[in-house]
Amino acid sequence: MLRKPVALITGASGEIGHGLITRLAEEGNRPVITLDLKPLEPGLARLVQQQFAGSILDANLLERILSEYEVDLVFHLAALLSTRSEFTPVAAHQVNVEGTMNLLEFAQKQGESHGRPVVFLYPSSIAAYGLPDLGTKARAGRVKEDDFNAPTTMYGCNKLYCEQLGRYYARHYKQLSAEPLAGRVDFRCIRFPGLISAVTVPSGGTSDFAPEMIHAAAQGHEYACFVRPDTRIPFMAMPDGVAALLRLASASRERLTRTSYNIGAFNPSAEEIQEIVVRAFPAARITTKVDVKRQGIVDSWPADVDDSAARRDWGFAPQFGLEPAFQDYLIPGIRERYRA
Ligand code: SER
């Protein structure tokens, strides 16, 4: 029996997976299979061909998928986020690094079995950066991909290393063997800013103060923001993040000059986010209660990123700037969500 070409999404029931499954189903080009510890919500489950319940660390499960499906596109989203990873660094390394290694090997074998490189989309993060102090952060402004690559968190180290692993698989895999370059994994990575979704709330991240503040205000809950009001990092509305993954996935290989790309859309301070939220939800009760450790993490992340390579190589162009993200996407979407 012929195996059918499918896209595989790991960590599919997380925040990015939610939007990605919907968009892939709308496009209808390719059936989707998913792998996650958690089952998909019923509304999403209907949109996929098959859900595999399990771990990316389960080699037998990956073998089973390999034997049943011809995967030619992988979105490897499964990860433990930055705050969570600081509490369980060994587990974070296992999931974030060994899990990614398993998926890269899986993609390599898939490519060898169907004779074409598997396109492998990998979400990295601004956590891959580590700026040494606030003065340097202020002076650095929009950082380029190869600057300040000295992350302070386990998650950041994991992401930066996996970017390098992916580049190795794409460009140098088994250099000493006679295998042709064409058989290699076509690894493509986006370094995401903080992502804000109207339909889901993140868990375990350190950029979570922004989405948490908005979702709390919409529900009439009090919120104590865990970073100082002047804290500034880049953010993006989830639909732009998902669109970027799809756009990079379909970009022509020849145009890609890098394997990892920064992208960004807007970079308000925590105080500016609070002002917009209070304008939209005047009853919002937002205070500040700094968590020193989490503050230290976001202070080490850049205030903004230089995404000119993504714009030039594959036409990255976010739809939502700061005001439109709130007025046209987040506020109406979040109102709708809690009304429902
Ligand atoms: N937004 C994620 C986090 O805060 C980083 O990618 O962990």
Side-chain angles (χ1 to χ4, degrees):
M1 199 175 74
L2 278 181
R3 297 178 308 162
K4 280 224 303 257
V6 293
L8 167 66
I9 306 178
T10 70
S13 61
E15 280 213 287
I16 300 178
H18 201 279
L20 184 61
I21 289 172
T22 315
R23 276 288 309 270
L24 283 168
E26 279 163 14
E27 287 182 358
N29 294 334
R30 208 193 246 101
V32 171
I33 62 169
T34 61
L35 171 58
D36 202 313
L37 293 170
K38 278 197 289 188
L40 293 172
E41 293 170 11
L44 289 178
R46 278 195 291 278
L47 303 177
V48 308
Q49 170 140 345
Q50 186 171 356
Q51 290 191 60
F52 290 88
S55 166
I56 53 173
L57 300 174
D58 182 344
N60 290 335
L61 183 53
L62 290 173
E63 281 295 325
R64 202 181 123 204
I65 299 175
L66 188 69
S67 67
E68 286 181 28
Y69 286 97
E70 182 179 314
V71 175
D72 59 4
L73 176 60
V74 173
F75 295 91
H76 173 42
L77 310 180
L80 299 189
L81 294 185
S82 54
T83 291
R84 166 91 194 274
S85 294
E86 287 310 294
F87 287 106
T88 54
V90 175
H93 189 277
Q94 274 163 355
V95 173
N96 295 348
V97 175
E98 290 169 33
T100 300
M101 179 69 189
N102 288 350
L103 263 295
L104 284 165
E105 268 298 307
F106 168 88
Q108 178 66 34
K109 286 190 201 144
Q110 278 279 354
E112 285 167 12
S113 84
H114 51 69
R116 294 184 315 282
V118 170
V119 176
F120 190 111
L121 269 291
Y122 181 67
S124 183
S125 159
I126 48 169
Y129 292 106
L131 289 101
D133 52 65
L134 286 174
T136 309
K137 173 166 169 160
R139 281 191 302 278
R142 292 160 59 80
V143 300
K144 284 193 182 301
E145 284 88 347
D146 298 329
D147 294 338
F148 302 108
N149 290 165
T152 66
T153 60
M154 175 53 99
Y155 173 79
C157 292
N158 297 163
K159 287 291 177 184
L160 187 60
Y161 173 60
C162 288
E163 289 185 18
Q164 299 296 322
L165 259 187
R167 193 175 56 84
Y168 167 77
Y169 270 81
R171 303 242 171 107
H172 307 289
Y173 183 75
K174 291 191 181 170
Q175 309 204 39
L176 301 181
S177 85
E179 284 171 37
L181 210 147
R184 290 179 181 150
V185 176
D186 187 350
F187 179 84
R188 305 172 178 205
C189 162
I190 290 179
R191 268 197 204 155
F192 279 108
L195 291 168
I196 314 180
S197 166
V199 282
T200 53
V201 198
S203 72
T206 320
S207 59
D208 295 4
F209 62 91
E212 282 175 2
M213 193 188 294
I214 310 167
H215 283 263
Q219 293 171 89
H221 297 161
E222 192 167 340
Y223 184 67
C225 180
F226 59 78
V227 294
R228 291 185 317 271
D230 66 304
T231 303
R232 192 180 293 279
I233 56 167
F235 282 101
M236 175 175 286
M238 186 59 85
D240 277 332
V242 169
L245 276 174
L246 293 170
R247 191 159 191 147
L248 180 56
S250 61
S252 131
R253 175 74 258 171
E254 296 69 52
R255 295 195 53 121
L256 303 180
T257 58
R258 313 181 48 86
T259 41
S260 295
Y261 289 92
N262 278 340
I263 62 171
F266 44 85
N267 68 331
S269 65
E271 185 172 30
E272 286 159 3
I273 298 172
Q274 178 171 342
E275 282 162 12
I276 300 180
V277 170
V278 169
R279 246 190 286 141
F281 304 100
R285 285 164 297 147
I286 301 167
T287 55
T288 300
K289 186 161 183 273
V290 172
D291 176 316
V292 177
K293 291 193 176 134
R294 295 179 102 185
Q295 181 73 60
I297 293 175
V298 278
D299 283 347
S300 78
W301 293 352
D304 204 358
V305 289
D306 180 332
D307 58 11
S308 51
R311 289 174 188 265
R312 180 194 63 223
D313 287 3
W314 47 277
F316 168 67
Q319 190 190 341
F320 296 108
L322 177 61
E323 281 295 329
F326 276 84
Q327 303 315 329
D328 304 340
Y329 168 65
L330 289 169
I331 293 169
I334 288 175
R335 278 217 175 97
E336 180 61 33
R337 181 191 155 159
Y338 295 110
R339 192 176 300 131

